[in-house]
Amino acid sequence: MSPDSSIQEPGRQLSGTLYTTDSVPTDHRQTYWREALSRTFAAVDIAVSDEVCSGTIRTSRLGHLKVATVEGGPLWVRRTPQLIARGEEEYLVVKLLVRGVAMVEQDAREGHLHPGEIVFCDLTRPMRMEFLHPFQTKSLVLPRRLLDLGESDLQRLTATPISPDTTLGSLLSPFLTQLVDTAETYPSATGEVLARHIVDLLTVLAGERLHQEVGDTPSAARVLLPRIQGFIDQHLADPDVTPEVIARAHQISVRYLHRLFETEDVTVGRWIQRRRLQECRRELARGQAAGRTIAAVAHQWGFTSAAHFSRVFRAAYGMSPAEWRDSAALASRTPPSPSGVSRVSEAATALRPRRSHLPPARSDVHLAGEAGDTAA
């Protein structure tokens, strides 16, 4: 396979490389398009119908960096462990979505991109991208070693859209657009200087994003934590809710999520578990619970194991779920004592949590979707 144009001008960078499916027979387009994408970025698998496969890639060089404009029809791209094992040079891609919508999945995160948003993709780890409609992207491809970031920091950068409304996005979006569109016009020496400045800028901006998490101020944390706790309450019934799911929903890192909950003297997983226990306790005390099994109530609030639920319930409240239900049922049939304190009130007093930082009971929580039997 060879590009459709490749011209070298004296004293200049390679002025540009063009790949296009326009002149490729329909039954060969998918193979051509996969190889064009692989040569531009790294070896990938794609899924696209030959009948609708179309696209164009324009690339230019800036010193040791590459810039690329890609436009085409609906496309599914995967970078698999098998392809990564080929041992190609390790690259990082900074990608701006110009037109269309896209989904990128990497490092247990799924980001949905809209025009003007930017995402980092690490080609040394498995990833997946989907473009459901015709699209255009502008990308900067650079060796990942140039940013001088640790592995954990690189993993925190990926698959998290950067909005043009943020400080980082407002700087990167127009800069990346201008850079890609004009790269082939610069003489070689200018391109080398620009490449060094680009790497310096990306290093600074990546550092700002990593070390100043979204909402990483005391006042923002006071707003964000109740919002996250409300999100947990709305998703208690989903056994798959995890710190990763919660962090992704609020566009923060898992590390920052745990730091927010340190102010409550409890981990995220323990908070989820205790909110579930409170809702189970409330449900078991209701008269309608008499005809339901303990396991059914536990599953309603996100516990996947009835045995585990019974253990943590006893540890928190000092009696089994069945004992609590029986005592609540007995108390509801017993008149108040002369002192005016009913047995159900006495039972509730006995069942006060053993830890002072158990979140206060909520009577307004309704079953609404997600939750998980998670302890982090």
Side-chain angles (χ1 to χ4, degrees):
M1 173 183 179
S2 60
D4 291 85
S5 66
S6 177
I7 305 171
Q8 179 72 49
E9 298 181 9
R12 290 185 177 270
Q13 301 284 322
L14 185 68
S15 63
T17 300
L18 171 68
Y19 298 98
T20 179
T21 60
D22 289 348
S23 59
V24 178
T26 300
D27 56 347
H28 293 159
R29 284 187 175 185
Q30 183 168 334
T31 299
Y32 179 93
W33 194 224
R34 181 179 60 250
E35 292 190 19
L37 290 167
S38 297
R39 290 190 177 200
T40 302
F41 301 103
V44 294
D45 284 333
I46 69 170
V48 60
S49 169
D50 285 333
E51 289 74 16
V52 299
C53 180
S54 64
T56 299
I57 302 175
R58 295 178 176 84
T59 71
S60 300
R61 303 290 307 189
L62 276 175
H64 43 282
L65 311 181
K66 180 192 292 184
V67 298
T69 298
V70 181
E71 51 190 330
L75 178 68
W76 292 259
V77 180
R78 284 173 174 79
R79 177 90 168 131
T80 65
Q82 293 77 14
L83 294 173
I84 294 169
R86 294 182 181 181
E88 300 164 311
E89 187 172 352
E90 299 179 343
Y91 288 105
L92 189 70
V93 178
V94 184
K95 188 178 295 290
L96 166 68
L97 183 66
V98 178
R99 185 173 65 250
V101 293
M103 186 282 296
V104 57
E105 180 182 12
Q106 189 167 47
D107 296 321
R109 286 186 301 277
E110 183 177 296
H112 295 268
L113 274 71
H114 298 89
E117 294 184 324
I118 293 171
V119 69
F120 285 79
C121 302
D122 190 341
L123 299 182
T124 68
R125 293 192 303 283
M127 62 167 292
R128 178 169 64 97
M129 293 196 75
E130 294 182 1
F131 300 91
L132 300 180
H133 306 286
F135 70 94
Q136 184 185 77
T137 63
K138 295 184 184 293
S139 301
L140 174 65
V141 186
L142 68 157
R144 65 201 293 268
R145 57 181 168 78
L146 295 180
L147 289 189
D148 195 27
L149 293 174
E151 195 67 27
S152 62
D153 284 341
L154 283 171
Q155 291 182 16
R156 290 167 56 202
L157 279 176
T158 58
T160 302
I162 301 171
S163 169
D165 297 331
T166 64
T167 301
L168 179 58
S170 66
L171 288 170
L172 267 183
S173 183
F175 173 73
L176 189 57
T177 299
Q178 181 74 7
L179 183 71
V180 174
D181 289 345
T182 61
E184 64 183 41
T185 67
Y186 301 118
S188 299
T190 303
E192 294 285 351
V193 173
L194 275 174
R196 290 195 296 270
H197 289 309
I198 292 165
V199 171
D200 289 342
L201 176 62
L202 285 174
T203 301
V204 171
L205 294 179
E208 287 294 312
R209 183 168 180 82
L210 289 169
H211 299 114
Q212 293 185 1
E213 296 278 0
V214 176
D216 196 6
T217 65
S219 58
R222 285 193 294 271
V223 174
L224 186 56
L225 182 58
R227 187 184 305 164
I228 291 172
Q229 290 168 341
F231 176 88
I232 291 171
D233 280 346
Q234 292 176 343
H235 296 76
L236 284 178
D238 182 357
D240 294 324
V241 72
T242 63
E244 288 75 18
V245 169
I246 297 167
R248 184 166 61 244
H250 294 85
Q251 296 189 339
I252 60 176
S253 71
V254 175
R255 185 173 72 172
Y256 182 56
L257 175 67
H258 285 304
R259 194 159 71 242
L260 286 174
F261 274 83
E262 287 176 0
T263 62
E264 302 294 320
D265 193 27
V266 66
T267 66
V268 182
R270 289 296 179 186
W271 180 277
I272 296 171
Q273 183 184 90
R274 291 171 183 176
R275 284 294 300 118
R276 287 184 176 135
L277 286 173
Q278 289 173 341
E279 293 307 316
C280 289
R281 183 185 64 173
R282 182 177 61 85
E283 182 68 23
L284 288 170
R286 297 173 60 192
Q288 296 93 322
R292 302 182 64 194
T293 66
I294 298 295
V297 173
H299 289 157
Q300 175 185 343
W301 292 104
F303 287 98
T304 58
S305 166
H308 173 68
F309 165 66
S310 294
R311 286 195 300 271
V312 297
F313 190 98
R314 181 183 290 276
Y317 301 119
M319 65 173 66
S320 71
E323 290 169 340
W324 162 243
R325 181 176 60 182
D326 292 345
S327 67
L330 178 62
S332 67
R333 297 192 297 269
T334 303
S337 66
S339 63
V341 180
S342 70
R343 291 185 61 182
V344 69
S345 298
E346 294 169 354
T349 301
L351 280 171
R352 283 175 181 165
R354 296 184 174 186
R355 296 179 182 270
S356 60
H357 54 259
L358 182 67
R362 294 274 300 275
S363 59
D364 58 341
V365 177
H366 301 283
L367 181 63
E370 300 180 358
D373 187 5
T374 308

